[in-house]
Amino acid sequence: MTVARDFGAELDILKKQLGDLEQLVSQIANDCSPRVSRTRTFDKNTVSVETINDELDLGGVFYSGQYSGEKWRYRWEPQERLVSQLLDLDGEKVAKILAALGHKQRLDILRSVLKEPLSGSEIVERLNMGTTGQLYHHIKALLGADLLVQEERGGMYSLPSHRVLPLLLLLAATSDLLDTSDYIELAETRNNASAYLGNTQDAYDPHYLLWAVLENSILEHRAGFCSEAGIFLQGDGSVTVSDNGRGIPVQVLPSTEKSRVQAVLTELSHYSTSNSFVAPGGEKGINIAVVNALSQKLSIEVRREGKVFRQDYKHGIPQTGLLTVGITKETGTSVTFLPDPEIFKSTFDKNVIAKHVPEISAIYPDLTIHL
């Protein structure tokens, strides 16, 4: 016997279920509404950033990993540290730990024994420490801090197993902060401009930065790779120095994500003082990294390997990665920079530049400089 279906009752049930679902969706939407999500990209890392208008849990840091050394293999299950706990750590103790590990030779010792257990003499030889006495001073501190263990009867040194992951995490975090050491030096350069520009009573001369950038083109000419350079005064007070040299190398440096051109523009010690322009009365030479630090903004364009590369900076800090912006058959480098008006009270003077160019041409008659 066929049983008749009550379509009305079924529709009532569906309406109730849809109503419950609509209420649930509305509740979820209201719970999420205080958050506004946006995505920001820094070089190769994409970070999702949310603006939060309500009080929520600060979240946590999750980590796990594995590591195979010469003698042991480590594997760590996923772990979590609450951000609220991390931010509430004793600042004085954290500073002491970082200071204790901040010694280069101690870090070198820990990294060496992390790869494989080593004897004292092997550590001395591998790190070129000279004497075992120098090693013993650091070994004693690391043993006392439970960052190092030694086998019985003067055996091999190694890292305690429970310290391996924290040290690797510390190195991982440090690798993402490596460039900040360059930026700190650039900031110190801005605060100590007189060491580079001369301890003058008058306003600092922005032309010193121009001569320093032009020095790079001159060095390319002396190496036999640059025959022409141009100086272009821009309407906004900036200046461009362009040449037909080889172009600053753009390849990524080993064990980093930094290009060689970024290293040139951010590492103050990249060029020695002898290869830098020295301002009258200046204690230190001005290289292109110093120019970058003392500029409100700087853009570099490199033409090599059939491509055009560009990167922008502000107060020495990269605002973009090294971008490929075109193709070309030419080679060379162009640097456009605006001296920071907080440091330099005067602007570029075409007459001053026009007077200086013939002096350079007299020294380097085969280098054509256009103004």
Side-chain angles (χ1 to χ4, degrees):
M1 182 175 66
T2 305
V3 179
R5 294 176 61 183
D6 188 345
F7 292 102
E10 292 181 11
L11 285 173
D12 289 340
I13 294 174
L14 285 174
K15 286 181 180 179
K16 184 177 183 306
Q17 291 175 339
L18 286 172
D20 293 342
L21 181 61
E22 182 179 2
Q23 184 178 359
L24 180 60
V25 171
S26 176
Q27 181 180 350
I28 294 174
N30 289 333
D31 289 343
C32 295
S33 60
R35 299 186 179 189
V36 180
S37 180
R38 64 186 188 275
T39 300
R40 299 177 64 187
T41 301
F42 302 90
D43 294 331
K44 297 182 180 180
N45 300 318
T46 301
V47 182
S48 178
V49 183
E50 291 182 343
T51 300
I52 300 176
N53 298 325
D54 60 348
E55 294 185 4
L56 296 174
D57 192 328
L58 293 177
V61 177
F62 299 86
Y63 53 91
S64 64
Q66 61 181 16
Y67 167 64
S68 297
E70 292 290 332
K71 187 175 181 180
W72 297 290
R73 175 175 294 174
Y74 303 90
R75 184 185 297 273
W76 299 278
E77 296 300 322
Q79 302 179 50
E80 177 188 7
R81 291 289 184 273
L82 296 178
V83 172
S84 57
Q85 295 175 336
L86 297 177
L87 297 181
D88 287 338
L89 289 173
D90 188 318
E92 185 175 348
K93 289 185 177 180
V94 171
K96 285 183 178 179
I97 294 170
L98 294 178
L101 291 173
H103 193 287
K104 181 182 182 304
Q105 287 187 322
R106 291 178 184 175
L107 274 176
D108 288 343
I109 292 171
L110 292 176
R111 289 189 300 172
S112 296
V113 301
L114 183 57
K115 295 176 182 177
E116 60 178 321
L118 297 172
S119 66
S121 59
E122 288 174 332
I123 295 175
V124 170
E125 181 181 357
R126 191 161 298 187
L127 300 182
N128 297 318
M129 300 187 73
T131 63
T132 54
Q134 188 179 9
L135 169 71
Y136 178 75
H137 173 74
H138 300 301
I139 289 288
K140 186 177 180 180
L142 294 174
L143 287 170
D146 192 30
L147 288 167
L148 207 62
V149 293
Q150 185 182 23
E151 297 176 356
E152 294 182 1
R153 299 177 182 177
M156 301 289 192
Y157 293 99
S158 61
L159 212 67
S161 58
H162 64 288
R163 301 297 192 191
V164 174
L165 178 60
L167 181 61
L168 290 175
L169 289 174
L170 182 63
L171 293 175
T174 303
S175 68
D176 285 340
L177 296 171
L178 280 178
D179 53 1
T180 61
S181 64
D182 297 330
Y183 305 153
I184 289 174
E185 288 185 345
L186 293 172
E188 291 175 347
T189 298
R190 295 174 56 79
N191 295 330
N192 191 28
S194 61
Y196 299 90
L197 302 171
N199 192 9
T200 176
Q201 299 297 323
D202 303 324
Y204 294 128
D205 188 347
H207 296 93
Y208 294 158
L209 303 188
L210 174 56
W211 310 147
V213 176
L214 189 59
E215 187 71 19
N216 287 277
S217 300
I218 294 173
L219 289 173
E220 273 291 274
H221 171 70
R222 290 171 58 184
F225 297 101
C226 175
S227 60
E228 289 188 45
I231 301 173
F232 304 87
L233 296 174
Q234 310 291 353
D236 64 351
S238 65
V239 64
T240 299
V241 177
S242 183
D243 65 44
N244 65 345
R246 291 167 291 183
I248 298 175
V250 295
Q251 71 268 28
V252 176
L253 294 170
S255 303
T256 71
E257 295 185 355
K258 181 192 295 185
S259 66
R260 188 169 295 277
V261 64
Q262 182 172 324
V264 170
L265 284 163
T266 56
E267 296 180 8
L268 294 175
S269 59
H270 185 83
Y271 291 123
S272 65
T273 304
S274 60
N275 290 333
S276 305
F277 173 81
V278 181
E283 302 171 11
K284 303 178 181 180
I286 305 174
N287 59 24
I288 197 168
V290 174
V291 175
N292 196 13
L294 300 181
S295 295
Q296 185 181 66
K297 60 180 181 178
L298 181 146
S299 297
I300 188 164
E301 179 186 283
V302 177
R303 301 174 296 280
R304 61 179 293 148
E305 302 170 8
K307 299 178 182 179
V308 181
F309 303 90
R310 178 189 171 96
Q311 190 169 24
D312 298 325
Y313 293 81
K314 179 180 180 180
H315 294 158
I317 298 177
Q319 302 300 296
T320 66
L322 185 63
L323 308 175
T324 303
V325 297
I327 57 176
T328 182
K329 294 181 180 179
E330 299 177 353
T331 62
T333 303
S334 298
V335 179
T336 301
F337 65 96
L338 177 66
D340 193 332
E342 293 184 3
I343 300 174
F344 300 91
K345 305 306 179 184
S346 58
T347 57
F348 292 113
D349 187 331
K350 185 176 182 180
N351 294 325
V352 172
I353 301 172
K355 181 180 178 181
H356 189 66
V357 167
E359 297 174 0
I360 299 176
S361 298
I363 301 173
Y364 304 102
D366 295 330
L367 175 63
T368 302
I369 302 178
H370 304 281
L371 173 59

